[in-house]
């Protein structure tokens, strides 16, 4: 049953409370309303930039594309930086301080608002490979690097194995093996360190190690053996001869391909069971 009071005092009190609540709600709505004098501009997507970091100044990166063009990109607290792929699974979040010179990156960008960052693109996300990050870190942490060595290392990061036509071959040293074997002889070890010492004196020198076999055995076995021989040579060069990892291009095993001699004779097979240690200099750096 509904009871309606006819007393004037009660009606006035209800009316006052209603007006007070309405005024309070209106004031709250007005307080939460956006200021019409403040204009928020959403950034529009910019181009995707792929290249190598060649310089850095504070929160600005200079990224050089494969065609030689450069782009200035601003990094801020909202930039997401991730490393993944390569030898590692998953991805790792990095800080902006870990964006090092010589590091290949892919950048998703935003167009700057008028008056911001001097017109530089803003990085929303930066992706890179774990293996490239490790190499760039080794370059930064080196204590006896010259400028030319850092330039050579950057060149190596750009392409690793890359196109061999981009390099001048300065010398080649061949290490030979017994049938089905990958062990290094004392003479081989001496020759490898002599090669490394000579290459150290060559400006901007990089090393490319390629393993081979003769025609004996299956293709799968020869592929595995050629890679094993190349790995054995690389390990000795780095661990015993002082050759720095960042000056090593990506090695490869070529099995019985590209024979140095005929596989029809024992003498020819002996020449084909080899690892070729090639000293290269990028054509763009040769003579600097």
């Amino acid at each position: 049953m509904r009871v309606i009071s006819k007393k004037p005092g009660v009606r006035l009190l209800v009316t006052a409370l209603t007006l007070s609540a309405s005024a309070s709600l209106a004031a709250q709505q007005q307080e939460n309303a956006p200021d019409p004098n403040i204009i928020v501009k959403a950034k529009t997507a910019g181009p995707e930039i792929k290249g190598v970091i060649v310089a850095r100044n504070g929160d600005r990166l200079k990224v050089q594309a494969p065609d030689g063009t450069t782009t200035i990109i601003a990094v801020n607290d909202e930039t997401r930086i991730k490393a993944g792929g390569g030898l590692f699974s998953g991805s790792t979040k990095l800080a902006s301080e870990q964006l090092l010179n010589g590091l290949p990156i892919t950048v998703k960008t935003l167009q700057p608002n008028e008056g911001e960052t001097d017109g530089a693109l803003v990085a929303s996300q930066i992706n890179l490979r774990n293996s490239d990050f490790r190499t760039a870190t080794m370059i930064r942490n080196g204590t006896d690097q010259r400028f030319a060595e850092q330039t050579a290392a950057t060149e190596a990061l750009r392409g690793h194995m890359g196109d061999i036509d981009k390099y001048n071959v300065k010398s080649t040293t061949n290490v030979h093996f017994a049938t089905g074997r990958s062990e290094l002889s004392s003479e081989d070890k001496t020759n490898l360190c002599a090669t490394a010492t000579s290459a150290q004196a060559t400006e901007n020198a990089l090393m490319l190690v390629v393993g081979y076999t003769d025609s004996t055995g299956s293709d799968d076995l020869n592929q595995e053996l050629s890679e094993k021989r190349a790995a054995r040579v690389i390990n000795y060069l780095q661990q015993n001869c002082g050759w720095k990892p960042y000056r090593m291009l990506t090695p490869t095993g070529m099995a019985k391909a590209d024979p140095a001699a005929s596989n029809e004779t024992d003498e020819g097979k002996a020449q084909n069971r080899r690892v070729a240690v090639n000293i290269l200099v990028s054509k763009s750096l040769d003579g600097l």
Side-chain angles (χ1 to χ4, degrees):
M1 180 176 63
R2 187 174 57 176
V3 178
I4 301 176
S5 174
K6 296 183 180 181
K7 294 182 180 180
V10 174
R11 289 198 297 270
L12 289 175
L13 178 60
V14 171
T15 302
L17 290 174
T18 302
L19 292 176
S20 176
S22 300
S24 177
L25 179 61
Q28 184 177 0
Q29 290 175 341
Q30 184 176 4
E31 181 180 350
N32 294 332
D35 189 337
N37 296 319
I38 299 177
I39 301 175
V40 179
K41 294 183 178 179
K43 288 184 172 64
T44 58
E48 183 176 87
I49 305 296
K50 294 184 178 181
V52 176
I53 300 173
V54 294
R56 178 166 185 175
N57 183 12
D59 62 352
R60 303 299 181 82
L61 305 176
K62 178 184 283 188
V63 179
Q64 182 171 325
D67 61 3
T69 58
T70 59
T71 305
I72 303 298
I73 299 174
V75 179
N76 58 33
D77 293 338
E78 297 180 359
T79 302
R80 293 174 294 170
I81 305 171
K82 294 184 178 181
L87 299 177
F88 302 90
S89 60
S91 61
T92 303
K93 293 183 179 179
L94 301 177
S96 62
E97 292 77 10
Q98 295 173 287
L99 296 173
L100 308 174
N101 284 350
L103 193 59
I105 58 176
T106 299
V107 188
K108 293 182 179 180
T109 68
L110 299 172
Q111 297 285 0
N113 291 331
E114 185 177 353
E116 290 184 350
T117 65
D118 299 333
L121 293 171
V122 179
S124 61
Q125 181 169 322
I126 298 177
N127 296 322
L128 54 109
R129 291 173 58 86
N130 270 307
S131 55
D132 289 340
F133 175 68
R134 291 201 310 161
T135 305
T137 301
M138 284 191 294
I139 295 172
R140 183 192 64 177
N141 292 341
T143 57
D144 60 342
Q145 301 161 6
R146 294 171 295 172
F147 172 79
E149 289 179 321
Q150 293 185 9
T151 304
T154 299
E155 188 72 14
L157 274 170
R158 282 189 176 124
H160 290 284
M161 178 67 178
D163 184 356
I164 196 67
D165 291 336
K166 295 179 181 179
Y167 299 92
N168 290 329
V169 181
K170 312 303 286 187
S171 66
T172 299
T173 299
N174 288 310
V175 177
H176 295 93
F177 299 85
T179 302
R181 310 295 293 183
S182 61
E183 291 82 9
L184 296 171
S185 67
S186 298
E187 182 181 359
D188 292 333
K189 294 177 180 178
T190 300
N191 290 338
L192 286 174
C193 284
T195 298
T197 299
S198 176
Q200 294 284 5
T202 302
E203 291 292 333
N204 305 310
L206 300 172
M207 193 176 287
L208 173 63
V209 175
V210 185
Y212 298 92
T213 67
D214 61 24
S215 59
T216 304
S218 67
D219 290 343
D220 289 342
L221 179 63
N222 284 331
Q223 181 61 41
E224 181 180 351
L225 182 57
S226 65
E227 293 174 357
K228 187 176 181 180
R229 286 171 173 170
R232 184 67 59 87
V233 168
I234 290 171
N235 288 342
Y236 193 83
L237 284 165
Q238 294 179 355
Q239 296 172 10
N240 299 89
C241 303
W243 190 257
K244 296 179 176 62
Y246 64 80
R247 297 181 69 180
M248 185 76 71
L249 295 177
T250 302
T252 187
M254 294 295 289
K256 63 182 180 180
D258 298 331
S262 172
N263 277 304
E264 299 300 319
T265 65
D266 290 340
E267 293 79 6
K269 287 183 178 180
Q271 294 183 53
N272 293 333
R273 297 191 298 268
R274 72 197 190 279
V275 166
V277 180
N278 303 284
I279 306 303
L280 310 177
V281 175
S282 169
K283 291 180 178 179
S284 63
L285 299 174
D286 202 2
L288 290 181

